[in-house]
Amino acid sequence: MENNFYHTIYGINNCISYLKSDFFLESSIISINNKSVASKHKELLAILSQINNVKYFNSEKFKSKFNFKHDQGIVITFKGSLTKEINDINHFSENSCYLICDQINDPQNLGQILRTSECAGIDGIILPKHGSVHITDSVIQVSQGALFYSNIFIETNLNNTIKYLKSKGFWIIGIENSIEANDWYAMDYKGKIAIVLGSEGKGIRNLVKKSCDFLATIPMRGKINSLNVTAAVSAVLFERQRQLQSINKI
C-alpha cells in the first residue's frame, strides 16, 4: 500500500473529519494551542475528551513548533495508508460511480476533486501510479476532510483497471473539452459508471481514451477554450446526481 508514512493535518474541520473517520489511529499526535479557537470548540473538545494522546501547549510554544497558516490552534500528525486496491472489491452496488483521474498533477486540483466527489456521493477516486499527484499533505488539506470519507485507489495500469471494471458491468465515460462527442448533459450516468477525466492541457491519454465506451464534451461558449478540471468534475458529477434523483421522484 502507498502513503503508509507520516501525514500532518491542521484546522478544525480537517481535524474533526479525521478524528471521526475510520482512518483515525490512537497513535496520532494531537497538538492544541491552549488559547486558540480549537481549545473552545465544543464538538472538538467532546471528541478529544475520549482520546488520551492530546498535547496542550501555550501559544508561544505552539507557534514555535508549528507555522501553518489558518491552523486554528490544532495540528495532528498520523501515520497510515490512505489508499486501497480496486481488485479487493468484488461487489459493486447498482449505481456505483468511480472517478478515474488520468494524470492530474496539481495537488490543489486533486484536493478540490476529492471534496467535490465526496459531496456528490462518488464511491471512489482512481489515480494512476505514475504521472499523477498522489495523496500529499497539501491534497489532504485542500480536501477539507473529504479524503477521510473517500476511497482512493492507485493503479499501475489504468487500462487494466478499466478492463476489470468492465468485467463487473461498468460503462466507461471519458470527458474532454472541445472534441466531437455527445454533450456532457446528454449522457446517461445511471447504473455502474466510471468517469474518466484528464489533466488540463493534455486531456485523457490516447490509450485510456480508446478504452472508454463513450466520450462526452463540455462545449465552451466563451472567448477562452479552457475549463478547469475541478469545474468539469462538478458539472458532470452533479448532473449524475440530478439524474439519480429524477429516478427517485418517479
Side-chain angles (χ1 to χ4, degrees):
M1 287 286 186
E2 290 199 3
N3 298 298
N4 192 23
F5 48 80
Y6 283 102
H7 293 280
T8 299
I9 57 174
Y10 54 89
I12 290 175
N13 288 339
N14 243 350
C15 291
I16 286 179
S17 293
Y18 169 70
L19 294 169
K20 293 171 70 174
S21 74
D22 293 337
F23 282 111
F24 170 62
L25 300 172
E26 288 289 348
S27 58
S28 304
I29 300 172
I30 305 167
S31 302
I32 300 286
N33 180 342
N34 251 331
K35 294 186 177 180
S36 69
V37 175
S39 67
K40 302 175 180 64
H41 194 279
K42 291 183 179 180
E43 182 182 9
L44 178 61
L45 291 176
I47 297 170
L48 294 179
S49 67
Q50 308 298 316
I51 301 171
N52 294 323
N53 199 17
V54 183
K55 298 182 178 180
Y56 290 89
F57 298 93
N58 61 40
S59 293
E60 184 178 351
K61 185 66 178 291
F62 185 90
K63 290 177 181 178
S64 70
K65 288 175 65 67
F66 309 108
N67 188 28
F68 300 113
K69 189 176 181 180
H70 307 308
D71 59 50
Q72 297 179 292
I74 179 168
V75 175
I76 299 179
T77 301
F78 67 96
K79 183 179 182 181
S81 174
L82 298 176
T83 62
K84 302 177 181 180
E85 299 287 340
I86 195 73
N87 288 340
D88 290 342
I89 304 177
N90 293 312
H91 175 73
F92 297 90
S93 63
E94 180 182 352
N95 285 306
S96 294
C97 182
Y98 289 80
L99 188 64
I100 300 176
C101 297
D102 187 24
Q103 296 188 312
I104 303 296
N105 295 305
D106 187 338
Q108 294 283 328
N109 281 345
L110 182 56
Q112 289 286 0
I113 288 169
L114 284 166
R115 190 174 180 181
T116 300
S117 297
E118 202 283 327
C119 290
I122 300 306
D123 295 281
I125 310 288
I126 299 172
L127 305 171
K129 185 174 183 179
H130 303 289
S132 172
V133 66
H134 291 162
I135 304 306
T136 66
D137 288 356
S138 294
V139 171
I140 297 173
Q141 204 62 35
V142 174
S143 80
Q144 284 294 295
L147 180 138
F148 302 122
Y149 299 99
S150 304
N151 295 312
I152 312 297
F153 307 92
I154 296 179
E155 300 296 318
T156 302
N157 188 310
L158 287 186
N159 288 309
N160 287 340
T161 302
I162 288 173
K163 288 178 183 177
Y164 176 72
L165 290 173
K166 285 185 176 183
S167 74
K168 298 296 182 180
F170 279 78
W171 294 102
I172 314 300
I173 302 175
I175 308 290
E176 283 216 308
N177 294 339
S178 301
I179 61 171
E180 291 296 325
N182 292 321
D183 287 334
W184 59 280
Y185 56 81
M187 303 302 298
D188 185 355
Y189 298 105
K190 302 183 293 294
K192 295 179 181 178
I193 295 293
I195 300 168
V196 185
L197 291 107
S199 64
E200 295 174 49
K202 295 181 180 179
I204 304 170
R205 286 175 294 173
N206 284 332
L207 285 176
V208 176
K209 191 185 297 183
K210 289 178 180 178
S211 296
C212 295
D213 297 300
F214 307 100
L215 293 176
T217 188
I218 302 177
M220 300 291 103
R221 308 299 186 198
K223 299 280 192 241
I224 59 172
N225 191 24
S226 177
L227 184 67
N228 183 281
V229 66
T230 61
V233 167
S234 296
V236 173
L237 296 190
F238 283 101
E239 169 58 22
R240 172 181 175 267
Q241 279 291 87
R242 187 195 67 79
Q243 292 183 15
L244 293 177
Q245 289 172 359
S246 69
I247 296 174
N248 296 331
K249 292 179 180 178
I250 296 175

